[in-house]
Amino acid sequence: MSEFSQSRLEHRIMEAIGQLIVSGAIKNPHLSPFTSVTRVELSPDNASATVFVSAVPDNRIDPSVKALESAKGFIQSRIAAILKTRNTPVLTFRRDDSYREAERVNRLIDEALGR
């Protein structure tokens, strides 16, 4: 599969999961309504996908990841209906701490520049 097609598929998965969260289709009280999908990484054979999520407030990330993991079957079935591909990737949800790392780097830069 070309890099463009894989990127497009990752984006479609990201949009579909985001829409399921926003619409309230995933019925789990531990899922924060302020959970967002930050990126999706598909394996080269499209058999699996790692979905990175973040949530506000920060202490809601882990419960939200667990809620998404428990709803994995439901989410995969909804994605299968949307994508209409031969195989639907097996989803794995992970917390995304990249924004924390970016804040730390920005703080170090500000300190180095004396701001």
Side-chain angles (χ1 to χ4, degrees), residues 1-2 6-7 9-10 13 40-50 88-90:
M1 178 176 278
S2 73
Q6 189 164 11
S7 174
L9 192 56
E10 289 171 342
I13 292 170
V40 173
E41 292 179 358
L42 273 170
S43 63
D45 61 354
N46 293 342
S48 63
T50 304
T88 304
V90 175

Side-chain angles (χ1 to χ4, degrees), residues 72-99:
K72 184 182 345 192
F74 170 75
I75 296 168
Q76 282 182 212
S77 68
R78 296 294 293 266
I79 288 176
I82 293 168
L83 296 181
K84 296 183 174 111
T85 56
R86 180 177 292 183
N87 297 317
T88 304
V90 175
L91 304 175
T92 304
F93 293 91
R94 301 272 185 254
R95 67 182 285 150
D96 187 4
D97 291 325
S98 61
Y99 69 93

Side-chain angles (χ1 to χ4, degrees), residues 34 36 38-39 52-62 95-107:
F34 300 109
S36 61
T38 55
R39 72 181 190 273
F52 293 90
V53 296
S54 65
V56 176
D58 198 33
N59 64 348
R60 300 288 301 179
I61 293 176
D62 290 330
R95 67 182 285 150
D96 187 4
D97 291 325
S98 61
Y99 69 93
R100 273 192 189 161
E101 186 62 22
E103 285 178 357
R104 187 183 72 77
V105 169
N106 284 337
R107 195 172 31 251

